[in-house]
Amino acid sequence: MKRLTFFIMFAFLANAAEADILFQDPTRGSVDAAFDRFSEGELKDLSSPNVKEKQYLLGLLYLHGDEEFHVAQDCQKSVELLTKSWGENVVDAGYALATMYYHGVCVGEDVDKARGLAAKTAREGYILSERMLGLAYLGKKWEKLYPYDADKGVCWLSKAGDAGDGRSAGQLAYMYRKGEGVPQDDRKSFEWLKKSALSKYEKGINIGFHMLAERYEKGVGTAVDLISAYKYYDLSGTAGVEGKQRVAKKMTQEQIDEAIRQSQEWQKEHNVQVGGDFIRRAN
């Protein structure tokens, strides 16, 4: 019995280890960056290193065609490459195929296959698949996959949001703010809004900064924090000018200076520049 238990556990761990997520970034920015790393010749050479990555990327290119890489749309090649990648446990390819079967793109529409692929890749921890299931259960998108189930929808969106998906976290922030499918809860709404605005995958300025600033200014779901409010209004660029002017009237010069310091520190860390001429100091 011990040997059998050990074998089952070993087989499970071995299968789990085989799953390969190439690009976890749900914004797809890392996929775009990957294309930039390869020349046309390198990408099309599947005998060289990074074969799994290039095989998957080529599958995406053949799906719609691409002028830069001189790739004409070829559904057969796309399906072959992505199916091969999925057979080699590239989770990204499984998600791509799920969306193709759902919409009937380059393959016959097959919701059952889409559902199976979506569920499998979500269980492997692929963020886009977790979001897919969450939105499907909530009837927000991918409605044909599952009947409405708020608990399951929140569960899957929470997994994606905790993993860094700003869109999933933002959806949960809205739901808790409005009491849509969940009990109304300003604290939880604020927590998810903060995760959405500060997602590690979002580059540059996030539209959630302005909403975050408003919550800090008014103390909705959190304590009033004028320094943080000013900081996030400043990081909202021109959209935050009026908010900065308003909260500055309630702040000391030292508080404003600290808010500006925090804003500039964030900008330096993320290699962006906003605020600047729009900063309004207290009179």
Side-chain angles (χ1 to χ4, degrees):
M1 178 62 72
K2 289 183 178 180
R3 287 184 179 179
L4 178 59
T5 302
F6 174 80
F7 176 78
I8 293 173
M9 289 181 64
F10 177 80
F12 172 79
L13 292 172
N15 288 335
E18 291 174 1
D20 192 1
I21 295 177
L22 301 178
F23 305 102
Q24 183 65 293
D25 178 359
T27 69
R28 311 300 282 176
S30 58
V31 174
D32 293 336
F35 281 117
D36 292 337
R37 292 201 311 268
F38 294 110
S39 66
E40 179 181 343
E42 290 171 336
L43 186 61
K44 293 178 178 178
D45 181 7
L46 298 181
S47 64
S48 61
N50 304 314
V51 173
K52 275 191 174 183
E53 184 178 4
K54 292 189 289 186
Q55 181 174 264
Y56 166 69
L57 292 173
L58 274 175
L60 296 183
L61 287 186
Y62 280 118
L63 186 60
H64 299 293
D66 185 90
E67 292 184 1
E68 180 182 351
F69 287 93
H70 299 97
V71 172
Q73 183 185 32
D74 190 320
C75 284
Q76 181 177 347
K77 287 184 179 179
S78 176
V79 174
E80 286 178 353
L81 287 166
L82 291 174
T83 301
K84 185 176 181 182
S85 291
W86 174 235
E88 294 172 352
N89 297 305
V90 174
V91 180
D92 315 53
Y95 170 79
L97 289 167
T99 65
M100 291 161 66
Y101 278 113
Y102 185 87
H103 292 297
V105 175
C106 279
V107 292
E109 182 179 322
D110 191 325
V111 175
D112 288 336
K113 283 187 177 180
R115 184 184 302 110
L117 288 163
K120 173 63 175 174
T121 52
R123 289 195 296 269
E124 295 289 2
Y126 192 59
I127 293 176
L128 283 173
S129 297
E130 293 173 340
R131 182 206 293 171
M132 188 180 195
L133 264 62
L135 295 177
Y137 276 117
L138 292 170
K140 300 292 185 180
K141 194 178 179 182
W142 316 105
E143 298 92 339
K144 292 182 284 186
L145 289 181
Y146 295 102
Y148 180 82
D149 189 318
D151 289 341
K152 289 182 179 179
V154 169
C155 176
W156 282 111
L157 284 185
S158 296
K159 289 179 183 292
D162 282 333
D165 181 29
R167 287 182 58 185
S168 292
Q171 179 64 45
L172 289 167
Y174 176 83
M175 291 170 64
Y176 279 110
R177 184 80 171 100
K178 298 294 185 179
E180 183 182 290
V182 293
Q184 197 278 335
D185 191 319
D186 285 336
R187 183 184 60 80
K188 286 185 177 180
S189 176
F190 172 79
E191 290 174 353
W192 283 115
L193 175 61
K194 192 171 183 180
K195 286 185 179 183
S196 176
L198 302 179
S199 165
K200 62 182 178 181
Y201 293 111
E202 298 291 342
K203 307 300 181 184
I205 304 308
N206 188 303
I207 59 174
F209 285 167
H210 196 277
M211 290 186 285
L212 199 57
E214 289 180 335
R215 302 286 181 90
Y216 276 121
E217 179 186 358
K218 299 175 183 178
V220 179
T222 186
V224 171
D225 184 341
L226 297 181
I227 291 177
S228 292
Y230 191 106
K231 168 188 173 181
Y232 287 111
Y233 278 132
D234 190 50
L235 289 175
S236 299
T238 55
V241 172
E242 184 178 337
K244 285 192 297 182
Q245 292 174 335
R246 184 174 57 250
V247 297
K249 296 176 182 178
K250 309 172 190 176
M251 300 169 69
T252 65
Q253 186 61 55
E254 290 74 18
Q255 288 175 318
I256 294 173
D257 289 341
E258 174 59 20
I260 293 171
R261 185 194 68 77
Q262 291 183 18
S263 173
Q264 292 177 340
E265 186 177 84
W266 187 95
Q267 293 174 56
K268 183 178 180 180
E269 180 182 349
H270 293 81
N271 195 32
V272 297
Q273 185 174 356
V274 292
D277 294 339
F278 299 112
I279 291 174
R280 299 292 184 267
R281 295 174 176 268
N283 293 325

